[in-house]
Structure formats: C-alpha cells, structure tokens
Amino acid sequence: SGVMGTSNNQSVVGVQNYLEKAAQKLKPIVPIKFHISSRTDAGVHALCNAAHLDIQRAPGKPAFNEKQLIYSLNYHLKPEPIRILSAYRVSDSFHARFSALSRTYIYRLLVGCKHYSEVPVFERDLCWAPTGGYLNVPAMRDAAQFLLGTHDFSTFRSHNSDTPFQSPVRTILQADISPSSGVLAHHYEPRGLEFWELRFRSRSFLYRQVRRMVGTLVAVGQGRLPPHHIKELLEVKDARALPPNAMAPPSGLFLKSVEY
C-alpha cells in the first residue's frame, strides 16, 4: 500500500512497516526507524529504492557488517515481495532522502492491445496498455523536450498534504522514450505488441508528477494533443488544465534508482 509506514489502526500496510518489523527481529535496544528516499504510491514499484537506519545493539554486541544485515533482514522479509539488495555503512550526516543527487523513474507502456484482456498475464500490473491503437512516438519525443530543464510544474502535480509547503519548481535532467522488452516478450511477438519505456531523471519530483507527465505524453501519442501544447500546459501553471484522464495509472511506474 505504498512505501510509507502507516499507523497500527490503519488497515493498509506500507513497505516501511515490513522493513521495521524485520529490523526489530535483530533485537536492537532502541526501536529502528527507516528513513526512505522516495515516497512511492500504492501500486507503484521500486527496482531500487534507498533508505537509511540506525541500529543500536546491546553493550558488548559487535556491530552488524553489511552481509549480516542483508541476510538477516531478507530472512525476516521472506514472505513479502521486498528484498534488501545492498547495504553500506555511512556517516552520521547522510540522509537517504535529502542527500540524493537525483532519482530516475521509468514508466512502461504496452501498445497494440485493443482491450485490457489482451495484456499478457505475466505483465499484469507491470505496465499500462492505453486503448486506441499504436502511439505516435516521434510526436511524444518532441513533446517530452518541452519538459526538460527547470520549470514551474504546477500543472503536472496532484494535491496532497505537502502541496502548500512545496515549491512547484523542478529541474528535469532526462526525459527519454525508447523501445523496451517485456517479460517473455519473444513468446508473444506474433501478437504485434510493443513495449516502450519512458525515463525521467530529476533531483526530486512533485506528487504524481511523473504519472501526469506520462498521461499527457500518451495523449500526444494518441493525437489528442499537439506536442507544443506541453509548453502551454507548463505556462498556465494550473493542475485543472490537464486534459481529462491524463494521469497514467500507478502500475506502469517504477523507481529505477536513487543516485548519491
């Protein structure tokens, strides 16, 4: 139900809850809190998120080394689709969220499906298959260029509790669209399905900014918007200006990496 932890009286559980529950099995003398780099929503995936934590062991107990920490946490996370991939000892001044230089997200699109039932079962909840045939990818690439650089992205953010306190100005360092492969894609080549990957890199993103940018680029690919309309949407600085149904679903979004 998203990466952020939830309180005990809520029915949904976040990735952070599972991480902290596993960490408590290591018997620290002070409860462990994970500070997570990127707050992904429910339904969004992470190929590699990052977090920091402090572990205080009982007097006389040696500090965990990296391998012990990875093995122990993964042992207690075993039932869940969550894995620790690597661990590093860092300085006290390091912060997983605020020390990040950039974050890279990818969004996976599947085109060639006339109906949702045509999405391969192995791709379910791992991509978005917009209806309406193939996309005009060159037009989408032209439109994506307008997103590069530093802009006020008010039009491309949803509202949440942080919105009044956050500056809408962000710098997009990368906005690429390239062919991609699917899970076992060579087995369904005869069906004429195409996978595309949209990649965005920035130091940080606004709430649901990537999903709204993807939805708008798909509208360009479908011929519902001309590429230069992206520039006008940036200039109007109004979230209500986005075309209807222009927010991509969470299932195709992946946090690929956090760079330090």
Side-chain angles (χ1 to χ4, degrees), residues 108 120-124 126 181-188 195:
R108 299 182 69 239
V121 292
F122 301 107
E123 292 288 352
R124 186 182 169 191
L126 297 174
S181 59
V183 179
L184 305 173
H186 58 287
H187 288 291
Y188 30 85
F195 289 88

Side-chain angles (χ1 to χ4, degrees), residues 19-28 30-34 73:
L19 293 171
E20 290 175 354
K21 186 178 177 183
Q24 287 309 120
K25 301 276 178 66
L26 306 181
K27 299 180 180 173
V30 175
I32 289 176
K33 181 173 174 57
F34 276 74
L73 287 172

Side-chain angles (χ1 to χ4, degrees), residues 9-25:
N9 59 356
Q10 289 180 270
S11 58
V12 295
V13 183
V15 172
Q16 183 177 354
N17 296 102
Y18 289 109
L19 293 171
E20 290 175 354
K21 186 178 177 183
Q24 287 309 120
K25 301 276 178 66

Side-chain angles (χ1 to χ4, degrees), residues 19-95:
L19 293 171
E20 290 175 354
K21 186 178 177 183
Q24 287 309 120
K25 301 276 178 66
L26 306 181
K27 299 180 180 173
I29 58 172
V30 175
I32 289 176
K33 181 173 174 57
F34 276 74
H35 300 268
I36 300 179
S37 154
S38 303
R39 302 176 179 185
T40 50
D41 278 349
V44 176
H45 315 282
L47 298 170
C48 192
N49 207 335
H52 80 264
L53 67 157
D54 297 299
I55 302 180
Q56 266 188 275
R57 303 197 75 191
K61 292 264 187 182
F64 286 110
N65 65 39
E66 287 91 336
K67 280 186 179 177
Q68 285 174 324
L69 197 58
I70 294 167
Y71 178 85
S72 302
L73 287 172
N74 281 336
Y75 178 82
H76 295 298
L77 286 166
K78 207 162 29 181
E80 305 305 327
I82 304 165
R83 292 292 177 272
I84 307 300
L85 302 176
S86 56
Y88 306 93
R89 191 175 300 282
V90 291
S91 69
D92 286 346
S93 61
F94 177 86
H95 194 287

